[in-house]
């Protein structure tokens, strides 16, 4: 990118080595999960931490910080893209400057220790074993919040880390509406003996991994992904990693049974990938080439995974492919497959949750995180609180910590404030779907025919092209005149699952 | 590694970010040739050049250079490993300091330009088209030689780049013996109508890529490679890349016919890999974790590829695997396979050359490079000189430049002085084989049984464990009391091909 503003040009030039280190660490992250020989772990650890240190040095070097400060003073003369560049960099620099080096190091160390103990604790289903490590990490995070500073609630600082400008006030409003509404829908579904609640046999048989891999590749073909800018590999936990705007990679998973999980992972990650692939090409090698926020990113993956991928026309579209590649599904009707993809079952594990109950899992984690950082809950009380709320909201009570409080990796990695972005993504995906249906008259018909171009182009214009030029709240306001409004999502669930 | 010398410890610590950048660029190089989506090329180019610049900055930073200077002054108090660390770093720093930035940049630029034009010129078999670019690159390399400085011959500087302390005097001695001796062997073979000269039909049929891939993996299994520290992928041009001592990767090639080329590539690259895998583990993340030189590295790959891999007991060992995986070879006797693997045929293309004629190709390139840098040959005279020498040494005269002077990529990439290391590798592989046979009484029997541990352990002790602690000439002297003596190789060829 070339700007008319000489300071911005200097920033972009000085940013190139920073970007290059990001590029390298992204590739190292991708490689770690896909192809790296296991015993390379220690050496990879050295390289990763050294490159992160170099990254920090370059970002906080006096020359670079001065340039960004200079650009901030010229704000009025900048266009939106230039403002976005300054905003993203200033945000990063400010946070990194405020957090003392010792705290960063303590967190790094605790992340490794805590994660190791959490793994063992989960295996043994023993929260007590993990408790002191969780306590330590929370103490570090409280210090981080204090160092960065906040107006109302220390948790606001952590939320803002993952979703710019997100606050407890915002989320109280969201979950205040969402939680009771979902509970209502869930009760109606269960009470009425809805066909959505009847478990399908399709998830129980073993599938041929190679054939489901072919199926996934046929899906990417159907969605017209440009394999010269994109690829798919395999990992235990699916993810998307963008090395830049023209090298975007996803992974999928093959667990051997319940093939919809592999298909859904593929479509989910491909949704994330599209956000990068459709970003304005002139943003390549700049600070604004990524998505606006985790919530916005998740809105893209969940839109494709659920709203498109679990819709009746999409299931009809891919049903022949499924019958071809999954031997035991060759007698399943389109209706059988639709119900299989959309089975609703309140259960313990978040990552396996259906569209209806998923956000109740997040609501519980949000409540706990808010209480922890508001000093309203002791660490030792978390498991009890967790189980009580599971019973109240989902009607199931975990009998083991591994099914409850120990199930997620986030806390052990210091990711407090991350969970809510999953729910924001779901809410925004429903906002998008509602707006898109108004603009594209043949929306369902296009999906049934496998013509995804109009949807992709609409997403490109409204969201993708902007990269991270706009903060998420501003993007939602500018493009849709909306906030994190939960009503669209509630309506979506009601329409789909209760037919109302 | 921890040293008792505080300066060395400071050096090792300050080297970690340098090592980490090497680690990242190695991974990027591996990824570029194996998995990277094609349109990621431009972004990868930015990252690669930026990381190389950062690497240079770190290496030439005043603090780091001062540390190395300080250690040099303490030479007498250092042990061999510490001396090795200082030697490797000092060598790198000195060369990078002497070459002005403008010259490095000019070479970079010319490398890209020249390589692009060379590709087109090779396709069109048009040397004239490439000539001005070759001229420019040679001018740059002459300037590099002048800047670094030399005693006898400017070409010595370029040779030393790839093989420490190698000189024109050394190579004149080598080729002075080698070239006539090989010609003599070749003449005898051709004149006597040797069975080695009869072309096999086994190279002509199409093979099943997946099955030959299985075969290659069975070979690695047979050679007992630890797949937790090592992996194999596919690329057009096979290579080895070490991300560190515990993450070493090779690639192999599948062209569809002539399956021995795929097998030989696998064994060749695995030989390179073993050099890293068997290095002293305490050298991990230090400047001495690589091999001693290109020549020594090539001695390892050629030893396994040719001296072991094309030997009668090895072919006998793997014959059942070949018959299982290569359908049209299932009737071939061990003798048929042995002759197929060892077919001798004077021909135009170096990379396809057999063991006997290979070094004649190198002799010609050496003569030309020496004459160019000694101002004894004009650029425009190269094709004529090339063809004349091919006819004199190999008895075949290229009719097109694509079969002659344009066949190799090296010159267009500025790699002058590189070719001779291939021959040194062959010579040293024969030295190794002779010494090893004396030490291991059951050498052939072990190969026939597939017991490679004694050979691997011998190589580890004599060569691999030392990493690049010793310069190649010193390693050869210390370990074998030898120089780049061509006699062993000549004797090896005579024994194998003439049975004398």
């Amino acid at each position: 990118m070339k700007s008319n503003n000489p300071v911005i040009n200097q920033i972009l030039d000085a940013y190139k080595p920073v970007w290059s280190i990001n590029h390298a660490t992204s590739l190292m992250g991708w490689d770690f999960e896909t192809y790296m020989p296991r015993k390379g772990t220690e050496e990879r650890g050295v390289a990763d931490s050294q490159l992160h240190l170099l990254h920090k040095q370059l970002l906080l070097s006096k020359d670079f910080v001065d340039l960004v400060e200079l650009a901030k003073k010229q704000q009025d003369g900048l266009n939106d893209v230039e403002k976005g560049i300054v905003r993203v960099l200033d945000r990063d620099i400010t946070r990194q400057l405020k957090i003392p080096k010792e705290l960063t190091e303590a967190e790094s160390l605790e992340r490794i220790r805590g994660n190791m103990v959490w793994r063992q604790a989960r295996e043994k289903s023993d929260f007590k074993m993990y408790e002191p490590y969780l306590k330590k990490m929370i103490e570090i995070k409280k210090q981080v919040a204090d160092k960065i500073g906040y107006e109302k609630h220390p948790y606001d600082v952590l939320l803002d880390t993952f979703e710019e400008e997100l606050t407890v006030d915002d989320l109280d409003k969201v979950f205040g509406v969402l939680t009771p509404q979902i509970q209502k829908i869930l009760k109606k579904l269960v009470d009425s003996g809805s066909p959505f609640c009847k478990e399908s046999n399709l998830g129980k048989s073993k599938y041929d991994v190679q054939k489901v891999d072919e199926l996934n590749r046929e899906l990417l073909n159907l969605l017209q992904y440009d394999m010269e800018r994109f690829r798919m590999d395999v990992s235990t936990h699916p993810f998307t990693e963008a090395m830049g705007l023209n090298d975007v990679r996803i992974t999928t998973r093959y667990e051997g049974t319940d093939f919809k999980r592999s298909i859904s992972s593929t479509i989910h990650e491909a949704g994330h990938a599209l956000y990068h692939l459709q970003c304005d090409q002139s943003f390549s090698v700049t600070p604004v080439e990524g998505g606006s926020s985790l919530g916005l990113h998740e809105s893209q993956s969940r839109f494709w995974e659920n709203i498109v991928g679990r819709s009746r026309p999409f299931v009809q579209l891919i049903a022949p492919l499924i019958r071809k590649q999954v031997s035991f599904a060759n007698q399943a009707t389109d209706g059988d497959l639709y119900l299989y993809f959309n089975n609703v079952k309140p259960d313990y594990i978040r990552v396996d949750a259906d569209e209806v109950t998923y956000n109740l899992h997040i609501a519980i984690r949000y409540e706990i995180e808010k209480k922890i950082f508001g000093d309203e809950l002791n660490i030792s009380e978390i498991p009890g609180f967790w189980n009580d709320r599971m019973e109240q909201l989902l009607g199931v009570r975990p009998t083991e910590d591994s099914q409850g409080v120990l199930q997620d990796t986030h806390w052990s990695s210091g990711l407090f404030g991350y969970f809510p972005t999953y729910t924001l993504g779901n809410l925004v995906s429903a906002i998008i779907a509602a707006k898109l249906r108004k603009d594209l008259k043949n929306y369902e018909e296009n999906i049934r025919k496998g013509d995804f171009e109009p949807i992709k182009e609409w997403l490109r214009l409204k969201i993708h092209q902007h990269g991270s030029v706009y903060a998420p709240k501003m993007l939602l306001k500018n493009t849709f005149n909306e906030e994190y409004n939960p009503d669209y999502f509630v309506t979506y669930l009601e329409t789909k699952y209760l037919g109302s």
Side-chain angles (χ1 to χ4, degrees), chain A:
Chain A
M1 184 193 288
K2 271 269 167 263
S3 157
N4 289 324
N5 183 308
V7 179
I8 297 293
N9 274 336
Q10 279 179 280
I11 288 177
L12 290 175
D13 222 42
Y15 183 72
K16 277 184 193 164
V18 181
W19 180 90
S20 299
I21 290 180
N22 286 341
H23 177 93
T25 51
S26 292
L27 182 67
M28 281 156 55
W30 169 84
D31 181 68
F32 183 83
E33 301 289 344
T34 51
Y35 295 111
M36 193 191 83
R38 283 308 101 193
K39 287 182 184 160
T41 305
E42 207 169 312
E43 288 165 351
R44 178 60 50 87
V46 173
D48 194 62
S49 66
Q50 289 291 332
L51 289 183
H52 276 100
L53 276 174
L54 273 177
H55 182 269
K56 188 165 184 150
Q57 277 169 29
L58 289 173
L59 194 75
L60 300 186
S61 74
K62 194 177 170 317
D63 287 355
F64 193 69
V65 172
D66 285 352
L67 276 175
V68 175
E69 283 300 316
L70 193 58
K72 269 168 72 183
K73 284 182 194 137
Q74 305 180 351
Q75 280 283 10
D76 293 344
L78 303 182
N79 63 29
D80 279 10
V81 176
E82 292 161 350
K83 278 181 191 158
I85 290 168
V86 175
R87 192 191 88 255
V88 168
L89 291 175
D90 182 47
R91 200 170 127 77
D92 204 359
I93 289 170
T94 306
R95 294 185 75 98
Q96 295 224 31
L97 276 177
K98 282 187 179 169
I99 305 173
K101 204 174 154 236
E102 302 72 49
L103 208 52
T104 307
E105 280 170 0
E107 187 180 334
S108 270
L109 193 69
E110 209 44 46
R111 205 179 291 138
I112 294 164
R113 272 195 206 143
N115 199 277
M116 245 161 54
V117 177
W118 164 73
R119 278 167 202 266
Q120 294 166 2
R122 190 179 57 164
E123 265 174 41
K124 296 184 181 165
S125 204
D126 180 0
F127 180 77
K128 281 276 162 238
M129 182 181 171
Y130 172 54
E131 191 180 325
Y133 298 87
L134 178 58
K135 195 164 175 228
K136 180 85 190 136
M137 183 56 96
I138 288 169
E139 275 162 18
I140 290 171
K141 284 292 167 180
K142 281 183 176 173
Q143 287 180 54
V144 167
D146 283 341
K147 290 289 177 192
I148 293 178
Y150 51 90
E151 275 180 37
K152 285 189 171 174
H153 200 295
Y155 187 39
D156 286 348
V157 175
L158 306 177
L159 291 171
D160 175 80
T161 310
F162 301 104
E163 188 76 6
E164 201 170 339
E165 297 175 339
L166 181 67
T167 64
V168 164
D169 284 351
D170 294 325
L171 289 172
D172 281 349
K173 258 196 274 177
V174 162
F175 286 109
V177 173
L178 194 64
T179 308
Q181 291 285 0
I182 294 177
Q183 279 188 283
K184 221 182 283 177
I185 295 169
L186 186 60
K187 190 169 181 319
K188 277 190 193 168
L189 275 171
V190 175
D191 288 354
S192 70
S194 161
F196 285 113
C197 296
K198 192 168 171 290
E199 214 177 329
S200 164
N201 278 324
L202 288 166
K204 291 174 184 163
S205 300
K206 273 201 174 180
Y207 59 77
D208 179 329
V209 169
Q210 210 176 319
K211 286 186 183 253
V212 174
D213 188 61
E214 275 174 43
L215 173 53
N216 279 328
R217 287 176 199 283
E218 285 168 332
L219 287 179
L220 294 174
N221 193 28
L222 207 60
L223 294 165
Q224 287 187 283
Y225 274 73
D226 176 358
M227 300 309 284
E228 296 211 317
R229 300 172 62 211
F230 171 82
R231 59 176 292 119
M232 177 170 73
D233 298 272
V234 179
S235 67
T236 314
H237 303 283
F239 64 91
T240 300
E241 191 75 66
M243 257 51 78
L245 291 184
N246 295 295
D247 178 357
V248 183
R249 310 184 187 191
I250 68 167
T251 64
T252 190
R253 55 175 170 174
Y254 298 105
E255 289 143 338
T257 50
D258 209 357
F259 63 89
K260 74 168 184 289
R261 289 165 60 150
S262 180
I263 293 176
S264 295
S265 293
T266 304
I267 302 173
H268 178 102
E269 302 304 334
H272 279 301
L274 197 66
Y275 202 159
H276 299 280
L277 291 166
Q278 296 207 125
C279 179
D280 190 312
Q281 276 288 328
S282 72
F283 298 174
S284 172
V285 193
T286 75
V288 290
E289 71 173 23
S292 171
S293 71
L294 280 180
L296 263 291
H297 239 300
E298 206 64 22
S299 77
Q300 298 309 295
S301 52
R302 297 293 276 185
F303 170 75
W304 286 98
E305 178 191 0
N306 292 331
I307 296 184
V308 175
R310 290 192 157 91
S311 70
R312 205 178 279 275
F314 191 82
V315 174
Q316 284 174 349
L317 174 71
I318 69 169
L321 300 177
I322 294 175
R323 289 188 203 107
K324 189 178 82 186
Q325 302 287 18
V326 183
S327 58
F328 54 83
N330 62 7
Q331 299 294 321
T333 64
D334 292 2
D336 295 337
L337 289 168
Y338 179 68
L339 287 174
Y340 165 55
F341 271 97
N342 290 289
N343 176 245
V344 176
K345 185 168 183 274
D347 216 333
Y348 308 114
I349 305 298
R350 175 186 61 87
V351 294
D352 297 335
D354 56 81
E355 272 189 292
V356 177
T357 59
Y358 186 89
N359 296 294
L360 296 178
H361 290 265
I362 302 301
I364 294 172
R365 287 154 180 75
Y366 167 63
E367 285 177 34
I368 294 174
E369 292 190 351
K370 191 177 79 170
K371 280 182 191 294
I372 289 171
F373 289 95
D375 289 325
E376 300 169 60
L377 189 71
N378 287 325
I379 317 296
S380 59
E381 296 168 336
I382 298 176
F385 184 86
W386 182 293
N387 295 343
D388 289 347
R389 290 300 281 155
M390 280 295 286
E391 200 169 355
Q392 288 157 11
L393 295 188
L394 283 138
V396 294
R397 188 179 184 89
T399 53
E400 294 189 81
D401 290 340
S402 60
Q403 289 184 328
V405 64
L406 289 174
Q407 69 181 271
D408 289 308
T409 184
H410 301 57
W411 290 345
S412 73
S413 301
L415 301 173
F416 290 93
Y418 189 112
F419 282 119
T421 65
Y422 292 131
T423 287
L424 298 185
N426 287 323
L427 304 193
V428 175
S429 74
I431 294 174
I432 288 169
K435 307 277 178 183
L436 193 149
R437 276 170 172 276
K438 274 194 190 156
D439 289 351
L440 301 182
K441 296 302 167 206
N442 298 321
Y443 170 78
E444 294 215 340
E445 185 51 25
N446 283 339
I447 294 178
R448 207 183 319 270
K449 288 190 308 190
D451 179 9
F452 297 101
E453 268 319 304
I455 301 179
K456 284 162 79 175
E457 181 59 11
W458 190 92
L459 290 171
R460 187 183 74 75
L461 288 170
K462 302 283 182 184
I463 301 167
H464 299 164
Q465 65 167 337
H466 302 300
S468 53
V469 164
Y470 304 109
K473 282 185 176 179
M474 198 195 278
L475 182 67
L476 285 175
K477 190 80 199 158
N478 289 352
T479 310
F480 302 120
N481 198 29
E482 288 290 347
E483 299 178 351
Y484 300 117
N485 180 350
D487 299 340
Y488 290 89
F489 184 70
V490 172
T491 305
Y492 163 73
L493 288 187
E494 285 173 344
T495 311
K496 177 166 178 176
Y497 289 93
L498 302 177
S500 59

